[in-house]
Amino acid sequence: WSQARRLFRESPWIQALPRFLVVPGAPSRYRIRKEPRPRYVSTLEAVALALRALEPDTPGLGALVQAFDRMIDSQVQHMPADCRPPPCPPLGW
């Protein structure tokens, strides 16, 4: 998050782009790192939420987030058992 904030702050051309606010209905499913604020989500989740808002008929959005969950689950399996985060609830898409 600090890198993204710095990139935004130091790039006037990025600041000039239109911005859209996407409010997630649930916390991020990214369990490996902790977001600085509850409403922050991963880039993949933000893209999926934006596409869901702009193009709700886009096929495969749920599958995209499910693939993200599987990637995270695979990474979690390589963590020491006492450090593993709990699993996410089922995807509601």
Side-chain angles (χ1 to χ4, degrees):
W1 292 105
S2 62
Q3 291 172 338
R5 205 176 352 237
R6 181 177 173 208
L7 178 66
F8 179 78
R9 189 177 58 244
E10 294 179 2
S11 302
W13 65 273
I14 292 178
Q15 293 177 25
L17 294 172
R19 289 180 250 171
F20 301 92
L21 177 64
V22 178
V23 180
S28 175
R29 301 178 68 76
Y30 192 48
R31 302 176 289 141
I32 296 172
R33 290 177 51 188
K34 183 81 172 156
E35 291 80 12
R37 296 195 177 135
R39 66 188 166 127
Y40 287 10
V41 294
S42 70
T43 302
L44 183 135
E45 291 170 306
V47 168
L49 287 168
L51 283 172
R52 189 173 176 206
L54 296 170
E55 299 287 339
D57 296 329
T58 301
L61 291 179
L64 180 64
V65 178
Q66 288 173 347
F68 181 62
D69 282 346
R70 287 192 304 272
M71 178 201 71
I72 294 166
D73 289 341
S74 175
Q75 291 177 345
V76 166
Q77 292 303 312
H78 295 284
M79 297 171 75
D82 61 334
C83 295
R84 292 180 185 169
C88 281
L91 186 61
W93 289 20

